[in-house]
């Protein structure tokens, strides 16, 4: 069931600063304003429309959400699911603010915003079903169904629908990874009765978001406390800048179970946002349905962590993903982005996403560590030699720079799905390097070769064939002199520790960027790369997969 459905919300009902307070959404339209999107040190406040829950201008809810057979399921003589319950128990109805600890026979009326499976972090044992609920007063609370009762209720539940619940238990809210403010959680007990809410006089907010900015995420880093929501614009996806030809590699994403997105809110710091597992799948589905790369992203309930010395955000099973026009908040941010593109793309010298510095020995040690993940490092080394006698380039798709495959009569690209493409030569050169203590093999990939030599591989290959017209297509072009001339240079490389390195398939390290000689290696500014050269890192993504390649062939047009 897709929790990112259109029921997910638009408009603001109650907006407060996100210091643990809610930003609740309703169907009431709110006009975007530039002032509401200005960056500040405080948590973001995106629109305020303080109206009462039963405002006459709000739309009625519509048809109830319980589906399936209208007959009740019984347990111990009690109806646990019912789709036709009289609505004359108004004297028993309470709001979330009135819920106390222990068993209660009151009636709750609420909208189900979202639900997700809760699993043990290490054993992955199913702990139950967690829910996010909102009542008519705009109060958001967490709900919980034990695993033994999930089958009873789950088939009747739909995000965005409204329900009535009687005979429940008020339990203590967990202290880690909380998604709502109240200290009490609504837990379904053995005699709980869940039914559709058919009372058309009741209205509820459709969603709620609690936003944090960079400073608030920084303060909450690694505390495992309350989870807040992020909104901003996309810089990179899996180290690639977005353009019209960008295509997600869903096979690789399914294998890695994660997506890395570099994000920024207004002109603030660039952060890494890691999206995992089912949330990554939802990301791909929504991304594909758009038909073009999105600009704005909102991810709910993210966990702030420090990785490699830099603040990062990580999705959890409770997270949801929204893009450009999905909800009011993303539409409002998109309007700001379109009218402030220069501000959004401006890079502050103090706001840099850095790759951690490491020696060759430290890189080799990291690869062997248990639990090590794909990561990027800066490494300064001297080029000892360029490996010759084998191909130093590969033929790539001219659009996405993925390695092209040879068809019966044309070149093809599996990633783009095209059966006829124009190939282009890209660097895939092996270097022998050393530092003060160790030697290693570096694989120079794509634009990193241009950054080292100042010459594009496609130009060098074309020049060779022009000077050697008798050479056949199967001829291996020798390593160019401009690459050999780099021997003896001491350079700073940005190194990707790939999945192949971690699995022990190769010891060769992929170079995704070479820093200029005239600039001290103080940090790798990914945001600056996006501003200066939007396509600079597009060929990086598949580097580890191409360390072992077939003999390079001459690029041909189909």
């Amino acid at each position: 069931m897709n929790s990112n459905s259109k029921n997910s919300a638009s408009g603001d009902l109650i907006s407060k600063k996100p210091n643990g307070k809610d930003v609740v959404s309703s169907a009431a339209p709110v006009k975007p304003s530039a002032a509401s999107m200005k960056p500040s040190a405080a948590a973001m406040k995106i629109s305020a429309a303080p109206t009462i829950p039963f405002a006459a201008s709000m739309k009625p809810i519509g048809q109830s959400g319980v589906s399936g057979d209208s007959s009740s399921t019984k347990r111990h003589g009690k109806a646990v699911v019912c789709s036709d319950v009289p609505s004359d128990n108004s004297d028993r109805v309470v709001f979330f603010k009135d819920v106390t600890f222990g068993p209660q026979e009151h009636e709750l009326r609420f909208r189900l915003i979202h639900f997700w499976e809760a699993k043990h972090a290490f054993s992955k044992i199913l702990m139950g079903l967690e829910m996010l609920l909102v009542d008519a007063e705009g109060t958001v609370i967490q709900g919980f169904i034990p695993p033994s009762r999930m089958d009873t209720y789950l088939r009747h539940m739909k995000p965005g629908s409204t329900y009535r619940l009687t005979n429940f238990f008020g339990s203590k809210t967990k202290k880690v990874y909380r998604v709502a403010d109240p200290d009490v959680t609504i837990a379904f007990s053995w005699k709980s009765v869940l039914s559709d809410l058919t009372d058309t006089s009741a209205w509820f907010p459709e969603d709620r978001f609690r936003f944090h900015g960079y400073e608030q995420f920084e303060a909450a880093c690694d505390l495992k406390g309350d989870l807040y929501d992020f909104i901003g614009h996309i810089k990179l996806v899996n180290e690639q800048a977005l353009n019209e030809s960008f295509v997600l590699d869903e096979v690789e994403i399914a294998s890695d179970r994660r997506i890395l997105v570099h994000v920024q809110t207004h002109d603030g710091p660039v952060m890494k946002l890691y999206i995992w597992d089912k949330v990554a799948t939802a990301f791909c589905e929504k991304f594909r349905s758009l038909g073009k790369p999105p600009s704005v992203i909102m991810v709910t309930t993210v966990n702030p962590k420090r990785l490699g010395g830099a603040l990062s955000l990580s999705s959890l099973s409770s997270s949801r993903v929204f893009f450009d026009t999905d909800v009011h908040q993303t539409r409002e941010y998109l309007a700001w982005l379109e009218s402030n593109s220069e501000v959004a793309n401006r890079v502050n010298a103090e706001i840099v996403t850095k790759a951690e510095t490491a020696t060759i020995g430290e890189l080799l040690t990291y690869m062997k560590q248990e639990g090590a993940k794909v990561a990027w490092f800066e490494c300064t080394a001297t080029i000892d030699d360029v490996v010759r006698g084998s191909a130093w380039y590969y033929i790539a798709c001219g659009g996405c720079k993925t390695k092209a495959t040879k068809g019966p009569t044309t070149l093809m690209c599996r990633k783009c799905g095209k059966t006829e493409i124009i190939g282009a030569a890209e660097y895939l050169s092996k270097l022998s390097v050393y530092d003060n203590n160790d030697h290693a093999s570096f694989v120079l990939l794509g634009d990193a070769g241009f950054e080292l030599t100042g010459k594009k591989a496609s130009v060098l290959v074309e020049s060779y064939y022009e000077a050697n017209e008798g050479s056949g297509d199967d001829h291996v072009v020798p390593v160019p002199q401009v690459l050999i001339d780099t021997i003896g240079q001491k350079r700073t490389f940005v190194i990707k520790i790939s999945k192949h390195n971690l699995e022990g398939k190769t010891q060769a390290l992929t170079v995704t960027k070479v820093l200029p000689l005239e600039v001290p290696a103080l940090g790798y500014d990914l945001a600056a790369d996006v501003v200066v050269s939007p396509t600079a890192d597009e060929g990086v993504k598949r580097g580890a997969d191409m360390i072992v390649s077939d003999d390079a062939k001459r690029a041909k047009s189909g």
Side-chain angles (χ1 to χ4, degrees):
M1 185 176 296
N2 186 359
S3 59
N4 289 323
S5 65
K6 291 183 180 179
N7 292 327
S8 293
S10 63
D12 288 348
L13 175 65
I14 302 170
S15 291
K16 298 178 181 179
K17 291 184 178 180
N19 55 350
K21 302 299 182 182
D22 290 343
V23 178
V24 182
S25 298
S26 75
V30 180
K31 183 178 180 181
S33 62
S36 66
M37 298 305 295
K38 289 181 179 179
S40 65
M44 291 183 295
K45 179 181 180 182
I46 304 181
S47 257
T51 60
I52 60 175
F54 297 99
S57 62
M58 297 177 66
K59 296 180 180 179
I61 290 171
Q63 199 167 1
S64 58
V66 171
S67 60
D69 189 3
S70 61
S71 60
S72 300
T73 302
K74 294 182 179 294
R75 180 179 297 173
H76 301 294
K78 296 291 182 179
V80 293
V81 178
C82 183
S83 51
D84 186 15
V85 177
S87 56
D88 56 356
N89 296 325
S90 57
D91 57 328
R92 297 178 56 200
V93 176
V94 297
F95 293 107
F96 288 160
K97 67 180 182 181
D98 303 315
V99 175
T100 58
F101 297 114
Q104 298 174 54
E105 297 182 353
H106 297 295
E107 178 180 307
L108 295 175
R109 298 180 180 184
F110 56 85
R111 183 185 298 279
L112 172 63
I113 295 177
H114 180 47
F115 62 81
W116 61 95
E117 290 183 349
K119 295 184 178 181
H120 191 278
F122 300 105
S123 67
K124 304 302 179 183
I125 294 175
L126 180 64
M127 308 295 289
L129 192 75
E130 293 186 309
M131 301 169 287
L132 198 62
L133 317 172
V134 61
D135 67 10
E137 290 188 330
T139 302
V140 176
I141 202 167
Q142 190 163 340
F144 180 77
I145 301 177
S148 60
R149 303 187 180 105
M150 284 175 53
D151 290 342
T152 301
Y153 298 100
L154 186 56
R155 63 191 179 93
H156 299 279
M157 296 166 55
K158 180 180 179 181
S161 297
T162 55
Y163 299 97
R164 306 168 63 193
L165 178 68
T166 58
N167 301 323
F168 57 91
F169 189 89
S171 63
K172 188 70 174 177
T173 299
K174 61 183 182 180
K175 293 298 182 182
V176 296
Y177 301 143
R178 296 200 321 172
V179 297
D181 295 328
D183 292 328
V184 62
T185 291
I186 307 299
F188 285 35
S189 67
W190 66 272
K191 61 177 183 177
S192 293
V193 179
L194 178 72
S195 61
D196 277 336
L197 179 60
T198 57
D199 182 0
T200 58
S201 65
W203 291 272
F204 301 85
E206 293 189 5
D207 212 323
R208 126 21 201 107
F209 305 108
R210 307 190 301 172
F211 293 104
H212 262 186
Y214 181 88
E215 291 81 5
Q216 289 72 37
F217 282 126
E218 179 74 38
C221 190
D222 294 320
L223 297 182
K224 300 181 180 180
D226 283 23
L227 301 175
Y228 289 86
D229 309 328
F230 169 84
I231 189 170
H233 54 279
I234 299 172
K235 289 287 189 180
L236 303 171
V237 175
N238 282 345
E239 301 297 325
Q240 296 185 79
L242 300 185
N243 54 40
E244 292 299 324
S245 64
F246 178 83
V247 179
L248 278 175
D249 189 339
E250 297 190 34
V251 175
E252 182 180 20
I253 291 171
S255 175
D256 294 344
R257 300 187 302 107
R258 67 113 168 116
I259 302 169
L260 171 60
V261 186
H262 281 79
V263 293
Q264 183 180 23
T265 300
H266 300 112
D267 61 348
V270 176
M271 293 184 287
K272 291 181 180 180
L273 171 60
Y274 291 91
I275 302 176
W276 298 92
D277 300 322
K278 290 183 178 180
V279 187
T281 301
F283 179 101
C284 291
E285 292 174 353
K286 293 175 71 69
F287 195 104
R288 191 189 320 115
S289 68
L290 289 177
K292 64 176 183 179
S295 300
V296 176
I297 185 171
M298 183 171 79
V299 182
T300 65
T301 62
V302 294
N303 180 31
K305 304 175 68 176
R306 193 169 302 282
L307 298 174
L311 173 65
S312 301
L313 306 178
S314 185
S315 74
L316 296 175
S317 55
S318 57
S319 299
R320 294 175 289 160
V321 177
F322 300 89
F323 289 138
D324 293 351
T325 59
D326 285 347
V327 293
H328 169 70
Q329 285 78 5
T330 54
R331 291 193 294 271
E332 189 176 55
Y333 191 97
L334 181 62
W336 175 88
L337 185 65
E338 290 173 343
S339 60
N340 294 273
S341 58
E342 292 183 2
V343 177
N345 290 329
R346 186 168 62 233
V347 178
N348 187 325
E350 297 178 359
I351 299 169
V352 178
T353 301
K354 294 183 178 180
E356 186 175 350
T357 301
T359 64
I360 291 176
E362 289 170 338
L363 293 177
L364 299 177
T365 300
Y366 176 82
M367 289 162 49
K368 300 175 183 178
Q369 289 180 1
E370 184 177 355
K373 297 181 179 180
V374 173
W376 284 259
F377 297 89
E378 280 185 11
C379 180
T380 299
T382 301
I383 300 173
D384 183 49
D385 200 4
V386 178
V387 176
R388 281 156 272 194
S390 62
W392 59 273
Y393 67 95
Y394 70 101
I395 300 303
C397 169
C400 67
K401 297 192 178 182
T402 300
K403 182 182 178 182
T405 56
K406 190 174 182 180
T409 58
T410 62
L411 291 175
M412 302 183 297
C413 179
R414 293 178 180 175
K415 182 178 179 181
C416 294
K418 297 179 180 179
T419 57
E420 185 174 349
I421 62 169
I422 297 176
E426 294 288 342
Y427 280 96
L428 186 64
S429 310
K430 299 177 183 179
L431 309 178
S432 175
V433 301
Y434 65 91
D435 60 11
N436 292 335
N437 300 301
D438 298 279
H439 279 82
S441 293
F442 284 1
V443 177
L444 198 65
L445 179 67
D447 289 329
F450 173 74
E451 292 162 351
L452 178 64
T453 65
K455 297 287 186 179
K456 288 187 173 294
S458 57
V459 174
L460 294 172
V461 171
E462 192 65 28
S463 297
Y464 176 85
Y465 278 108
E466 288 177 356
N468 298 271
E469 294 183 1
S471 301
D473 292 340
D474 293 335
H475 182 72
V476 177
V477 178
V479 174
Q481 187 62 40
V482 68
L483 197 54
I484 296 174
D485 289 343
T486 63
I487 294 173
Q489 291 186 15
K490 185 176 182 180
R491 303 297 293 264
T492 297
F493 304 89
V494 176
I495 301 296
K496 178 183 178 181
I497 303 297
S498 70
K499 184 178 178 182
H500 293 284
N501 295 135
L502 300 177
E503 293 175 348
K505 294 180 179 179
T506 180
Q507 292 291 306
L509 302 174
T510 303
V511 177
T512 63
K513 188 175 182 65
V514 182
L515 300 187
L517 278 170
E518 64 274 16
V519 177
L522 298 179
Y524 175 38
D525 192 343
L526 289 169
D529 290 341
V530 177
V531 176
V532 177
S533 177
T535 60
D537 290 324
E538 288 186 1
V540 169
K541 185 179 179 183
R542 284 192 169 270
D545 295 332
M546 294 184 290
I547 288 177
V548 179
S549 66
D550 299 328
D551 288 344
K553 309 296 182 184
R554 183 176 183 179
K556 278 189 171 183
S557 172

